[in-house]
Amino acid sequence: MNPDMGHSPTTSSDALVVFGVTGDLAHKMIFPALYAMAKRGVLNVPVVGVAGSKLSLAQLRKRAKDSIKQAGKIDDRDALEHLLSLLRYVGGDYNDPGTFEELKQTLGDAKHPAHYLAIPPALFTNVIKGLGAAGLADQARVIVEKPFGRDLASARELNRIALSVFKEDSIFRIDHYLGKEAIMNILYFRFANSFLEPIWNRDHVASVQITLAEDFGVKGRGKFYESAGCLRDVIQNHMFQIAALLAMEPPAYQGYGAVHNEKAKVFQAMRPLQSDDVVRGQYTGYRKELGVAKGSDVETFCALRLFIDSWRWQGVPWYLRSGKCLATSAAEVLVELKPPPQRLFDDSAPTEGHANYLRFRLSPNSAVALAARVKRAGKEFVGDQHELYLLEEQPGVETPYERLLSDAMAGDGALFTREDAVEAAWAVVDPILETHHRAYSYKPGGWGPKQADALIAADGSWHNPVLAKTSK
Ligand code: BG6
């Protein structure tokens, strides 16, 4: 695939500005990614941290070191020293034009900075406007963290403001799932093989399930989570991106622009959700988390039934489910095929659990499995389900943030989301953001509220990912 998003000739960014450099995201993800880039020798521009607190450069360097240590071990002193030597710091209020003036001074001769907004969404607008007013947006790029808006109206408004300051090909909307190898492999696997296409449609596919399960809670992010909930946090973005890669038509030409076009069409074809398409849950104990309201109704679990009203997928139900404090941490797709037309053997599908399926394990490891029935030795015509199993273990791959940051700095928008796609995805969830039942409570360590089982009952049951290598 070529990075052909239609953008003007790409110039590499000559500085990286990280707004929110003292925040959680910078600590957990960005410093380790910068360190990995330094180790690969691909980070050679000033990195200017911006945040509200008054911090000395020495304090910022210490934070960077701590973050890298926490993420793994420091195994390349030279790379670490190199990264620390690139750091600069600007402290100040994002509402104060003086902050942007100071940033301008600090950027010096840099002409094409990449501004990374690793800050709460409520601050995006101020920072984008501040950059524009200070003349820091011309020939620059902006990298915006998710969530991009909190509903259709706010996403549109944010796009409007971003586009009043930056051109679309200079706006990089992050969805870190797009930087994951296992997810890029969905695109590759679908279109690099010829055996899949004839069966990849409503005639052969009975249903599709996508599960993104986490066995931990909100981990101190209660305040953020209260403003998001599972639907906004991972479904409208990460899970929809997975669904779009599974559902899209073949790209019309060899280039990522074509992939973006096809993905946007999938979101446009998704039927807007209604309240009886969703089951919301909340794990017991969530209301005791720091930053969470006592009577909170925010969902930490969400299951959806979704339809894609396209020629290919008409009538095929898509079930998406995600939750915190579930039985395991794993992400998996299960594409269940229809049974053979005649039931020649007693144990043929449609008996539950006997249908052929294709399974994409996305995390913690990456794998693709194809389940088929094989006769058991003996007089009877009975068999067992076996998986042809492809385990993808490729150590040393770039982490999503490492990949996405270097792509954005190089001006390659292939793995970022486009304005029309983001808005179309919001349009699908918009009707249920406010109109829904109260969250059912569920016990940590299971698979969410039992009402989620009823949601899927007409089409079978949920497939719960298990972590043993070759099991179903
Ligand atoms: C983030 C969400 O975008 O994705 C988190 O805010 C979630 O709540 C995380 O845990 C999941 O990402 P990953 O890469 O750990 O699967």
Side-chain angles (χ1 to χ4, degrees):
M1 282 282 159
N2 302 324
D4 73 339
M5 276 193 60
H7 32 171
S8 38
T10 49
T11 318
S12 288
S13 299
D14 48 9
L16 175 68
V17 181
V18 182
F19 286 89
V21 76
T22 55
D24 198 45
L25 182 70
H27 200 260
K28 285 196 185 125
M29 300 292 183
I30 301 173
F31 282 124
L34 293 174
Y35 172 58
M37 286 164 71
K39 281 204 308 193
R40 284 180 197 263
V42 296
L43 185 71
N44 295 304
V45 297
V47 178
V48 186
V50 188
S53 21
K54 292 284 166 217
L55 213 66
S56 68
L57 190 53
Q59 284 170 314
L60 180 65
R61 288 186 172 143
K62 183 172 176 315
R63 288 182 81 96
K65 241 197 227 171
D66 290 347
S67 134
I68 296 161
K69 254 193 227 155
Q70 263 182 38
K73 61 177 188 344
I74 296 176
D75 50 4
D76 186 337
R77 286 266 149 206
D78 292 346
L80 177 72
E81 288 310 320
H82 176 62
L83 168 61
L84 298 182
S85 74
L86 296 173
L87 291 180
R88 318 272 183 274
Y89 184 69
V90 173
D93 193 320
Y94 299 148
N95 287 314
D96 177 3
T99 307
F100 295 89
E101 274 315 311
E102 196 186 326
L103 173 59
K104 201 171 189 173
Q105 300 297 322
T106 311
L107 280 170
D109 293 338
K111 291 200 170 43
H112 310 285
H115 303 288
Y116 183 2
L117 313 192
I119 49 179
L123 303 174
F124 288 168
T125 307
N126 279 354
V127 172
I128 291 173
K129 285 182 176 164
L131 289 170
L136 283 168
D138 311 333
Q139 304 183 60
R141 300 190 170 108
V142 66
I143 307 168
V144 189
E145 258 304 324
K146 68 159 264 280
F148 196 85
R150 48 176 290 104
D151 55 19
L152 179 57
S154 57
R156 279 187 179 144
E157 177 61 5
L158 185 52
N159 272 328
R160 191 186 64 73
I161 290 166
L163 287 163
S164 69
V165 176
F166 293 91
K167 288 195 300 265
E168 173 64 18
D169 60 21
S170 302
I171 303 173
F172 294 78
R173 299 174 190 81
I174 287 208
D175 182 319
H176 79 279
Y177 266 50
L178 296 179
K180 292 187 180 229
E181 284 295 332
I183 287 171
M184 291 187 249
N185 185 46
I186 296 178
L187 178 70
Y188 186 83
F189 190 82
R190 275 201 60 199
F191 300 116
N193 296 308
S194 60
F195 68 89
L196 215 52
E197 182 58 15
I199 57 166
W200 207 250
N201 55 51
R202 64 188 304 273
D203 296 331
H204 296 274
V205 174
S207 67
V208 183
Q209 288 186 30
I210 311 176
T211 296
L212 166 52
E214 293 177 326
D215 63 4
F216 49 84
V218 291
K219 279 187 169 169
R221 294 163 76 223
K223 186 161 174 273
F224 157 76
Y225 210 79
E226 280 286 277
S227 70
C230 182
L231 185 59
R232 287 187 173 94
D233 187 37
V234 297
I235 295 193
Q236 182 272 348
N237 35 67
H238 304 333
M239 297 193 79
F240 272 23
Q241 290 293 334
I242 298 170
L245 289 168
L246 291 163
M248 63 185 263
E249 296 303 314
Y253 56 91
Q254 191 187 9
Y256 251 102
V259 176
H260 284 278
N261 293 341
E262 297 307 332
K263 279 185 11 189
K265 286 187 212 162
V266 174
F267 298 128
Q268 284 152 6
M270 282 180 178
R271 200 182 295 170
L273 291 158
Q274 302 303 315
S275 45
D276 54 358
D277 294 323
V278 58
V279 172
R280 303 167 70 250
Q282 187 186 84
Y283 64 82
T284 47
Y286 171 70
R287 292 178 187 176
K288 296 207 178 95
E289 302 269 6
L290 196 70
V292 171
K294 277 201 183 88
S296 173
D297 182 45
V298 166
E299 79 284 356
T300 59
F301 172 97
C302 189
L304 296 180
R305 178 182 44 226
L306 185 74
F307 288 95
I308 300 171
D309 290 329
S310 66
W311 189 276
R312 185 187 288 266
W313 296 112
Q314 191 61 47
V316 177
W318 290 64
Y319 291 98
L320 275 53
R321 160 181 79 149
S322 179
K324 304 258 182 218
C325 282
L326 297 186
T328 192
S329 284
E332 198 157 273
V333 172
L334 195 89
V335 179
E336 191 165 295
L337 300 180
K338 289 189 171 168
Q342 264 194 312
R343 193 156 186 229
L344 296 178
F345 311 107
D346 289 346
D347 69 340
S348 302
T351 311
E352 177 146 15
H354 289 192
N356 298 154
Y357 63 79
L358 201 84
R359 180 167 74 86
F360 292 90
R361 163 62 62 81
L362 306 174
S363 76
N365 55 324
S366 172
V368 182
L370 175 65
R373 297 196 67 75
V374 181
K375 186 184 171 303
R376 220 181 276 163
K379 281 188 189 160
E380 307 296 323
F381 275 89
V382 290
D384 298 298
Q385 188 90 314
H386 289 282
E387 284 192 340
L388 299 163
Y389 188 81
L390 287 168
L391 178 65
E392 289 284 315
E393 273 187 320
Q394 299 177 5
V397 294
E398 286 173 294
T399 60
Y401 274 94
E402 191 186 338
R403 169 75 195 259
L404 295 175
L405 270 181
S406 32
D407 278 9
M409 289 174 71
D412 179 355
L415 300 179
F416 296 83
T417 54
R418 212 169 63 179
E419 175 200 4
D420 54 345
V422 171
E423 290 182 13
W426 275 119
V428 179
V429 299
D430 219 45
I432 57 162
L433 288 173
E434 303 301 332
T435 310
H436 49 235
H437 65 81
R438 274 190 77 76
Y440 303 115
S441 75
Y442 65 94
K443 281 203 194 114
W447 287 101
K450 61 179 184 319
Q451 288 81 355
D453 299 335
L455 182 77
I456 200 172
D459 294 295
S461 56
W462 291 104
H463 159 82
N464 296 330
V466 279
L467 292 188
K469 270 188 181 172
T470 48
S471 54
K472 181 183 153 189

